[in-house]
Amino acid sequence: MKIKKILVSQPKPESEKSPYFDIAGKYNVKIDFRPFIKVEPILAKEFRQQHVNIADYNAIVFTSRHGIDHFFRLAEEMRIKIAPELQYFCVSEKIAHYLQKYIDYRKRKVHYGTTNRICDLAPVIQKHKELNYLAVLSADYNDEIPNLMKKVGVKYNIGMMYRTVSNDFGPDEQLDYDMMLFFSPQGINALLKNFPNYEQGDVMIGCLGS
């Protein structure tokens, strides 16, 4: 089967240097970008119902840039002063560098894993077992972070600060693609929500992760 048209279930890259554009040119394929999911904030009133006091923790775990944005958004909404000695643990260096949007990066203790895999954050956390961790996650988080924290044996809690929801399709939008790429289980759920009678047929589906 020759691939001529690909759907990427993410926003279009801002940079023209994205590998997607290289692929489109090299293989003469058309690539459309259409997010299947969107992120919505959990507001302060709802967050308080979790009985999580941000000031009780001296270490924060981030798995995405969404987590960083919503952590500092909620802290501002709730008028919580972020202690300068707070330590930050990020899944990747790229996510860690995103913290520069909110903090003086050079003057803070920022740690990150060597890859984008959550499991590779374990050795970093293990070096700081004395800390009390708050993991900032989506309301529909999976068990990866809780399992990691339990395995390492540290004191932790979960703070749900945003949620991932389906991005609805219009009645005139069709899925006439030879290949579709997904990056989370929520994207697959959004596909089935928007197209409940969807049948894969000869369409190739690529996924990030098991």
Side-chain angles (χ1 to χ4, degrees):
M1 177 184 177
K2 183 172 176 57
I3 304 297
K4 296 180 179 179
K5 196 173 180 183
I6 301 172
L7 176 66
V8 176
S9 61
Q10 285 191 327
K12 184 177 181 179
E14 296 178 1
S15 171
E16 293 298 324
K17 294 181 180 180
S18 168
Y20 287 119
F21 302 121
D22 296 335
I23 291 170
K26 183 177 180 180
Y27 297 101
N28 192 28
V29 295
K30 185 179 187 297
I31 299 180
D32 289 340
F33 298 90
R34 174 60 163 90
F36 274 57
I37 57 177
K38 59 185 177 181
V39 172
E40 293 183 346
I42 286 178
L43 302 180
K45 181 179 179 181
E46 186 179 355
F47 178 73
R48 289 190 181 95
Q49 296 173 4
Q50 299 177 41
H51 304 292
V52 173
N53 182 10
I54 293 175
D56 290 343
Y57 304 89
N58 50 14
I60 307 293
V61 177
F62 292 119
T63 61
S64 70
R65 292 187 295 181
H66 291 306
I68 294 174
D69 286 335
H70 289 285
F71 171 79
F72 286 97
R73 172 190 59 79
L74 268 175
E76 184 176 356
E77 279 185 30
M78 300 170 70
R79 298 181 181 179
I80 297 171
K81 186 175 181 181
I82 303 299
E85 61 270 17
L86 184 66
Q87 298 195 39
Y88 303 91
F89 293 77
C90 302
V91 170
S92 69
E93 184 178 6
K94 185 176 181 180
I95 293 172
H97 284 166
Y98 188 71
L99 280 166
Q100 295 177 98
K101 183 177 178 180
Y102 298 98
I103 64 173
D104 188 338
Y105 191 84
R106 293 171 299 174
K107 294 183 179 180
R108 299 291 184 266
K109 291 185 177 180
V110 180
H111 316 270
Y112 49 83
T114 55
T115 71
N116 288 321
R117 297 188 304 170
I118 288 175
C119 61
D120 288 333
L121 195 57
V124 183
I125 293 176
Q126 205 152 22
K127 294 177 182 177
H128 304 274
K129 295 185 71 171
E130 75 285 356
L131 298 176
N132 187 14
Y133 290 83
L134 177 65
V136 177
L137 299 175
S138 166
D140 51 359
Y141 69 88
N142 58 34
D143 292 332
E144 280 188 291
I145 284 292
N147 289 344
L148 180 143
M149 305 304 266
K150 291 172 185 175
K151 182 179 179 181
V152 177
V154 294
K155 188 177 180 182
Y156 80 98
N157 200 356
I158 302 295
M160 294 175 288
M161 300 187 180
Y162 59 99
R163 59 172 56 85
T164 306
V165 299
S166 173
N167 213 354
D168 292 339
F169 279 61
D172 57 335
E173 291 190 77
Q174 303 296 323
L175 289 181
D176 54 338
Y177 295 94
D178 304 311
M179 174 183 283
M180 296 193 295
L181 304 181
F182 293 92
F183 300 84
S184 70
Q186 292 87 354
I188 302 292
N189 291 336
L191 167 68
L192 300 178
K193 177 178 180 289
N194 282 283
F195 303 94
N197 299 317
Y198 175 75
E199 294 184 8
Q200 182 179 352
D202 294 329
V203 177
M204 299 191 72
I205 293 181
C207 300
L208 178 65
S210 55

